[in-house]
């Protein structure tokens, strides 16, 4: 029962975060297209005070601080969640892992192919082939929350696990394809700091502060290395120790696991602070320069169809084939019709999609077009997914039926 209560609290937090994320995005759109639009954009480009660290210095605008700094905390939390799931959760059971792993992989591949079909002739646009790869777990769970207790717990777990694997794939893609010019000295310093954290882990150090301080130092050197700074959060999350056991999941507050303590403390801050700020800073699409009619052009249409059609087609087809082959089992209360509704919700890309768009496109017009496609796909996926699940879900949850 303790595990169930912990899961319910997790889903409640994610759903509430998703609703705040939606509100922040709407506010950004309104600001960008209002009389305060110029002030809004000027604020985002405001240069923060320069921080000198010996021979190094950090110079960031407010938007870059959010995208490169605060989002590192988001990636730290994502890495911590992935590690926990790999060591003792959904990703540790090979049989249970097979379905979300296949769904996530196909849900990345098919959208990338659809995007490529629309943009293969444009080398600049093709830099964003990975934009429609990941599912926004908070936004998607917020949509499931609209349906209340009718949603089976197994469906929420499956959606969450697919999103976690999506995030892991997105992290690998960012590291491999969205790295700038590398700087040797900074990379060497980053490796040395990571090794120090690994040694602390092997030595049995359970206090969080040494890891977080080294993580901050890692972020500083990675910021200068040419690798995107948010990956410092990923490395730190994977190197913080996790002590598995029944007590960990039963009560994270008293858990001996530093990883669970970090998740417990960081999750509300990221959910209610970092992600809404990211939406405020990146969702302010100026419709006077990128009107809705631009959706008919190749880049936004490629993103739109990749998420809206590619995600559900990729997820449902591989799940159906895997079930026919006896490789996977569906969760209790989940059939093909319910799975289809969940697969539509996986077309809500949003946070990670906009983040990858900011890495892929330095040209404001291309980034705005990609963001427009993400917006349209996320809204349509949310509405269609909820509408479909409203029709096919039972009147009460399978979890409460006798």
């Amino acid at each position: 029962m303790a595990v169930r209560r912990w899961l319910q609290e997790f889903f409640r937090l994610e759903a509430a975060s998703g609703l705040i994320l939606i509100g922040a995005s709407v506010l950004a759109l309104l600001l960008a297209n209002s009389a305060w639009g110029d002030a809004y954009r000027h604020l985002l480009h405001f240069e923060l005070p320069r921080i000198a660290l010996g021979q190094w210095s950090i110079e960031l605008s407010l938007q870059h601080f959010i995208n490169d700094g605060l989002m590192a905390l988001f990636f730290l939390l994502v890495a911590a969640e992935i590690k926990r799931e790999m060591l003792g959760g959904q990703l540790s059971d090979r049989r249970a892992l097979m379905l979300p792993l296949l769904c996530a992989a196909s849900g990345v591949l098919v959208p990338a192919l659809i995007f490529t079909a629309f943009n293969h002739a444009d080398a600049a646009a093709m830099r964003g082939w990975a934009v429609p790869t990941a599912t926004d777990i908070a936004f998607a769970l917020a949509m499931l929350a609209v349906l209340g207790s009718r949603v089976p717990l197994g469906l929420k777990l499956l959606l969450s696990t697919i999103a976690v694997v999506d995030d892991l794939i997105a992290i690998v893609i960012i590291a491999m394809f969205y790295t700038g010019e590398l700087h040797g000295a900074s990379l060497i310093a980053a490796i040395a700091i990571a090794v120090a954290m690994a040694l602390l882990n092997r030595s049995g150090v359970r206090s969080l502060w040494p890891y977080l301080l080294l993580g901050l130092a890692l972020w500083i050197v990675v910021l200068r290395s040419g690798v995107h700074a948010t990956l410092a959060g990923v490395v730190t999350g994977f190197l913080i120790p996790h002590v598995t056991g029944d007590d960990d999941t039963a009560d994270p507050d008293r858990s001996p696991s530093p990883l669970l303590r970090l998740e417990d403390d960081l999750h509300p801050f990221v959910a209610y602070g970092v992600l809404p700020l990211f939406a405020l800073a990146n969702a302010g699409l100026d419709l006077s320069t990128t009107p809705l009619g631009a959706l008919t052009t190749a880049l936004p249409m490629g993103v739109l169809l990749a998420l809206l059609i590619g995600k559900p087609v990729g997820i449902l087809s591989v799940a159906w084939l895997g079930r026919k082959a006896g490789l996977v089992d569906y969760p209790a209360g989940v059939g093909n019709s319910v799975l289809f509704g969940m697969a539509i919700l996986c077309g809500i890309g949003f946070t990670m999609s906009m983040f990858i768009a900011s890495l892929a496109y330095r040209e404001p017009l291309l980034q705005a077009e990609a963001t427009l496609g993400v917006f349209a796909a996320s809204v349509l996926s949310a509405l269609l997914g909820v509408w479909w699940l409203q029709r096919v879900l039972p009147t009460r949850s399978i979890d409460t039926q006798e």
Side-chain angles (χ1 to χ4, degrees):
M1 292 302 293
V3 175
R4 189 180 185 85
R5 284 196 301 272
W6 186 88
L7 288 171
Q8 289 171 341
E9 175 64 18
F10 170 81
F11 291 129
R12 185 198 62 78
L13 179 60
E14 290 287 358
S17 168
L19 294 175
I20 295 173
L21 187 64
I22 295 168
S25 304
V26 172
L27 178 59
L29 268 178
L30 293 175
L31 286 173
N33 294 279
S34 70
W36 297 285
D38 289 339
Y40 163 78
R41 286 180 282 274
H42 180 74
L43 177 62
L44 291 178
H45 292 96
F46 175 76
E47 293 291 331
L48 298 176
R50 176 175 173 269
I51 301 175
L53 299 167
Q55 295 181 341
W56 291 358
S57 63
I58 300 176
E59 299 180 45
L60 295 172
S61 68
L62 178 60
Q63 187 173 37
H64 285 151
F65 171 72
I66 293 170
N67 291 357
D68 295 355
L70 292 181
M71 283 298 283
L73 296 176
F74 166 72
F75 279 92
L76 170 61
L77 180 62
V78 168
E81 290 175 343
I82 291 172
K83 180 174 181 177
R84 169 178 49 77
E85 291 293 335
M86 291 176 66
L87 292 180
Q90 290 288 305
L91 302 185
S92 64
D93 184 334
R94 291 186 179 181
R95 179 73 180 181
L97 174 61
M98 185 60 67
L99 178 59
L101 187 61
L102 290 174
C103 289
S106 185
V108 168
L109 177 61
V110 175
L113 291 175
I114 291 177
F115 180 91
T116 301
F118 277 85
N119 295 280
H120 62 91
D122 187 341
M126 276 304 297
R127 277 191 53 79
W129 65 269
V131 169
T133 54
T135 296
D136 191 302
I137 183 174
F139 200 154
L141 286 175
M143 294 302 99
L144 281 184
V146 171
L147 300 167
S149 61
R150 296 171 59 192
V151 181
L153 180 61
L155 187 68
K156 296 178 184 178
L157 284 171
L158 179 59
L159 173 60
S160 301
T161 310
I162 291 173
V164 167
V165 178
D166 268 355
D167 286 341
L168 181 57
I169 295 173
I171 287 168
V172 173
I173 289 173
I174 291 169
M176 292 180 63
F177 297 100
Y178 296 107
T179 293
E181 181 182 352
L182 299 178
H183 300 281
S186 298
L187 280 177
I188 292 172
I191 292 171
I193 294 170
V195 169
M197 279 194 281
L199 291 175
L200 285 177
N201 192 322
R202 285 187 63 86
S203 300
V205 175
R206 295 291 178 258
S207 173
L208 271 175
W209 285 109
Y211 297 97
L212 297 181
L213 290 174
L214 286 172
L216 177 60
L218 182 63
W219 176 80
I220 293 171
V221 297
V222 171
L223 186 65
R224 292 180 51 87
S225 70
V227 179
H228 198 269
T230 53
L231 294 179
V234 175
V235 173
T236 303
F238 279 121
L239 290 176
I240 291 175
H242 177 44
V243 181
T244 59
D246 294 339
D247 289 341
D248 293 341
T249 308
D251 190 348
D253 288 333
R254 293 198 298 267
S255 169
S257 170
L259 193 76
L260 289 181
R261 295 201 306 272
L262 175 71
E263 276 194 73
D264 196 48
D265 293 338
L266 193 58
H267 202 166
F269 177 71
V270 170
Y272 298 141
V274 173
L275 292 183
L277 279 175
F278 175 81
L280 272 174
N282 292 274
L285 192 64
D286 186 351
L287 296 178
S288 65
T289 58
T290 314
L292 293 177
L295 272 172
T296 58
T297 58
L299 175 53
M301 184 56 68
V303 173
L304 169 61
L305 294 181
L307 285 168
L308 183 63
I309 296 177
K311 274 286 185 183
V313 167
I315 289 172
L316 191 63
S317 59
V318 77
W320 183 83
L321 289 172
R323 192 184 195 187
K324 284 290 184 181
L327 297 175
V328 301
D329 298 317
Y330 289 1
V334 177
N336 283 321
S337 58
V338 173
L339 188 66
F340 178 59
M342 184 217 69
I344 297 175
L345 290 180
C346 286
I348 302 173
F350 214 71
T351 303
M352 191 67 81
S353 292
M354 289 197 300
F355 183 75
I356 294 177
S358 73
L359 300 181
Y361 300 122
R362 297 305 178 189
E363 304 87 342
L365 178 59
L366 293 180
Q367 186 173 341
E369 288 181 344
T371 301
L372 179 61
V374 171
F375 258 108
S378 297
V379 171
L380 289 173
S381 296
L383 294 176
L384 289 173
V386 170
W387 172 78
W388 180 264
L389 288 172
Q390 178 73 26
R391 294 177 65 247
V392 300
L393 281 173
T395 55
R396 58 191 182 119
S397 171
I398 189 70
D399 301 318
T400 62
Q401 294 178 18
E402 295 294 328

